[in-house]
Amino acid sequence: VRMASAAEDDYICPVCCEIFKAPVLLSCSHSFCKECLQQFWRTKDTPECPVCRRRSSREEPPYNLALKNLCESFLKERNERHSSEEICSLHSEKLKLFCLEDKQPVCLVCRDSQQHDNHKFRPISEAVSSYKEELNAALKFLQENLKHNKTMKGEFEKTVQHIKSQAEHTEAQIKQQFEKLHQFLRDEEEATITALREEEEQKKQKLEEMNRHISALSHTIKDMEEMMRASDVCFLKEFPVSMERVQISSQPDLQMPSGALIHVPRYLGNLPFRVWKKMRDIIPKTPVILDPNTANPWLVLSDDLTSVRNCRNKQPLPDNPERFDFYPCVLGSEGFNSGTHCWDVEVKESQRWCLGVTTASNLGKGCDFFNTDVWSVEYHLSGRYIGSGFRVKRQLDRVRVYLDYDRGTVSFSDSVTNTHLHTFTATFTHTLFPFFYCFDSLRILPFNSHHL
């Protein structure tokens, strides 16, 4: 229930406890809002007063016009009182000054009161002008911020489309790679089962040999029995041959040979491990994988993220903070902050290249990328060099990068001839990322299983 002041009590409807709206008067002298009274009567069998319960003699009581006019006057006066912001609520004087300490308008009496002792004041017009300038400056900042956010929203909408394309392409590559693994496993399964069946056939041939021996022995016995029933002369004529057949057939009894059963462990023993080891031996590992989110828009990465080429056409890619925007560069996907790391890069297809390591914070935004925190070797067939790294004087096929983070060294060598090119020495305190400048094409070479 809303609390009312003493001045308002005379204008409050007893039912809704609000200022009367279209008040009506009952014969008992009590007044109510017309709508409030009608709602109350709907719940009753007889029209009675909500206050004294006296029955009303009229179902349509008359309007209390005097009370209606008083309520309207009261509301008007209250609204004017509340809207009169230029009058001091304490002293009923006009507000002419602004207290700089309390940040509020005051009258001349307020200025001289103890509450504002030693406070500084300004005319309201000056304070309004000053604060409007301040608010206007803040408003302009918000307007610029809104404009920037709308621009960023448009850019991010494009980025969302790129994210969707990235996800779809990556999902397709995942399925393709897993299909290769599934096919490898299917081939291994088929080869293993084929070997098992071949051994099964070999073992079963022993039984066939036994059946042939038994059949031959049965025929010999049958022939000998017939010869025993022949005439004496025939018997004597055939005896030497028959005796020789008996002797030939009289071999030792057949025995179950050793190893007659399937060699089950050959197929089931450590089967998952043996298949995994074979898979590991034939599937190479690339020690460094490129990060497409850092690649300059002029660069195209292979699906397996191990090679990069300059396509000579700028792609419509999001300008995310990690992306190189000036040089045709790309970083490795994994950073290093301890240990030793090594990778080989094929550079024979490029007439201009630069590779090495750089700090994680150096994302190549702008032209000063090569001035700090880049340890690299570079080659240029003709023209000016790119940065301040060690310059190779002849074209190479493959370059090996060897990072020893803990010792603070980055070494480069010709991995074909195993010839040392250059070593940088520094104290590394930040995460280092493999770095590649590509004018033509570069490829990170996989390591064989013995490197793993």
Side-chain angles (χ1 to χ4, degrees):
V1 177
R2 187 179 65 86
M3 299 299 294
S5 65
E8 294 182 22
D9 286 345
D10 296 334
Y11 309 105
I12 297 298
C13 170
V15 177
C16 66
C17 297
E18 297 287 347
I19 302 296
F20 283 109
K21 296 177 182 178
V24 293
L25 180 65
L26 298 181
S27 57
C28 61
S29 299
H30 290 124
S31 295
F32 307 91
C33 297
K34 182 178 180 180
E35 181 62 27
C36 293
L37 184 62
Q38 294 296 330
Q39 289 182 357
F40 179 77
W41 281 357
R42 291 189 193 106
T43 64
K44 301 294 181 180
D45 295 333
T46 58
E48 60 182 29
C49 174
V51 175
C52 65
R53 304 300 178 181
R54 181 177 175 180
R55 183 169 181 172
S56 174
S57 59
R58 303 174 63 176
E59 294 185 359
E60 292 290 338
Y63 284 104
N64 191 338
L65 296 179
L67 181 59
K68 179 176 181 292
N69 292 334
L70 287 174
C71 289
E72 290 176 352
S73 298
F74 175 77
L75 290 172
K76 181 179 179 181
E77 181 183 351
R78 188 177 68 175
N79 291 337
E80 289 177 352
R81 184 170 64 252
H82 288 171
S83 64
S84 180
E85 298 178 352
E86 297 184 358
I87 301 301
C88 177
S89 61
L90 296 177
H91 308 106
S92 299
E93 295 286 336
K94 191 172 183 179
L95 301 171
K96 294 184 176 182
L97 301 174
F98 184 78
C99 178
L100 299 179
E101 276 73 16
D102 293 336
K103 305 295 183 184
Q104 64 180 18
V106 296
C107 67
L108 295 178
V109 179
C110 292
R111 178 193 63 183
D112 298 331
S113 66
Q114 185 177 2
Q115 181 183 355
H116 295 278
D117 192 23
N118 296 324
H119 287 190
K120 291 183 178 181
F121 302 89
R122 291 288 185 274
I124 282 184
S125 60
E126 291 185 13
V128 168
S129 177
S130 175
Y131 281 119
K132 279 188 175 181
E133 289 182 5
E134 183 178 346
L135 184 59
N136 190 46
L139 184 60
K140 287 183 178 178
F141 174 78
L142 290 179
Q143 290 171 342
E144 291 295 326
N145 194 19
L146 177 61
K147 182 180 178 181
H148 174 72
N149 286 340
K150 287 182 177 179
T151 302
M152 290 303 298
K153 177 188 175 184
E155 291 297 322
F156 194 72
E157 287 174 348
K158 297 178 183 177
T159 302
V160 168
Q161 292 299 319
H162 181 73
I163 291 171
K164 181 180 179 181
S165 176
Q166 268 190 317
E168 291 174 351
H169 181 73
T170 303
E171 181 179 344
Q173 293 301 311
I174 290 172
K175 291 181 177 179
Q176 181 179 346
Q177 293 297 322
F178 270 98
E179 177 55 31
K180 291 180 180 179
L181 297 176
H182 294 158
Q183 186 60 49
F184 174 84
L185 293 176
R186 286 193 292 266
D187 292 343
E188 284 298 305
E189 177 187 9
E190 183 179 353
T192 305
I193 292 176
T194 299
L196 171 64
R197 289 174 177 170
E198 289 177 353
E199 182 177 357
E200 178 188 10
E201 291 300 321
Q202 291 175 359
K203 302 297 184 181
K204 287 162 62 177
Q205 288 179 3
K206 298 294 183 181
L207 178 61
E208 294 176 0
E209 292 177 4
M210 184 178 295
N211 288 334
R212 288 194 296 270
H213 178 73
I214 292 174
S215 177
L217 189 59
S218 297
H219 282 92
T220 300
I221 293 173
K222 182 179 180 181
D223 292 343
M224 294 303 103
E225 289 176 345
E226 291 180 355
M227 193 189 72
M228 294 286 289
R229 293 192 294 269
S231 63
D232 293 344
V233 176
C234 289
F235 174 80
L236 292 175
K237 286 182 178 180
E238 299 293 332
F239 177 77
V241 176
S242 299
M243 195 62 189
E244 185 178 355
R245 282 185 64 186
V246 170
Q247 290 176 352
I248 293 174
S249 300
S250 299
Q251 297 179 355
D253 296 338
L254 293 176
Q255 301 292 332
M256 180 70 70
S258 176
L261 302 180
I262 296 291
H263 193 343
V264 176
R266 179 182 300 158
Y267 307 101
L268 295 182
N270 290 320
L271 177 60
F273 175 80
R274 288 187 291 107
V275 174
W276 170 81
K277 188 175 183 300
K278 186 174 181 181
M279 182 184 295
R280 173 187 166 185
D281 291 340
I282 66 173
I283 299 179
K285 176 187 176 183
T286 304
V288 170
I289 300 298
L290 301 175
D291 183 0
N293 294 337
T294 66
N296 182 278
W298 296 84
L299 300 181
V300 175
L301 274 58
S302 61
D303 288 337
D304 62 359
L305 305 179
T306 62
S307 63
V308 56
R309 63 180 177 85
N310 196 314
C311 65
R312 305 295 192 266
N313 290 311
K314 189 174 183 180
Q315 304 170 90
L317 298 176
D319 187 22
N320 49 300
E322 304 87 357
R323 192 175 303 283
F324 285 92
D325 63 351
F326 187 79
Y327 288 105
C329 299
V330 61
L331 296 182
S333 61
E334 181 183 0
F336 308 122
N337 52 23
S338 65
T340 60
H341 309 274
C342 180
W343 58 95
D344 287 356
V345 185
E346 187 177 73
V347 297
K348 64 181 180 179
E349 300 295 333
S350 182
Q351 298 181 356
R352 182 180 181 182
W353 50 264
C354 181
L355 53 95
V357 295
T358 185
T359 56
S361 60
N362 194 355
L363 295 174
K365 295 292 184 185
C367 302
D368 296 330
F369 168 67
F370 284 97
N371 291 342
T372 57
D373 294 340
V374 178
W375 297 269
S376 63
V377 295
E378 58 180 297
Y379 172 79
H380 198 337
L381 182 62
S382 61
R384 69 180 183 86
Y385 281 86
I386 312 152
S388 56
F390 177 78
R391 296 173 181 177
V392 178
K393 297 181 179 179
R394 60 183 178 83
Q395 176 63 298
L396 304 174
D397 285 348
R398 296 197 301 269
V399 175
R400 174 164 296 175
V401 184
Y402 184 84
L403 167 66
D404 190 331
Y405 189 98
D406 300 325
R407 291 187 177 182
T409 61
V410 184
S411 299
F412 300 90
S413 61
D414 180 347
S415 61
V416 176
T417 62
N418 200 25
T419 303
H420 176 261
L421 298 175
H422 188 74
T423 297
F424 290 98
T425 302
T427 300
F428 302 132
T429 57
H430 297 85
T431 301
L432 297 181
F433 281 77
F435 151 76
F436 307 86
Y437 173 102
C438 178
F439 186 76
D440 295 301
S441 64
L442 299 173
R443 184 167 72 98
I444 305 167
L445 299 176
F447 279 175
N448 295 326
S449 60
H450 65 272
H451 286 101
L452 302 179

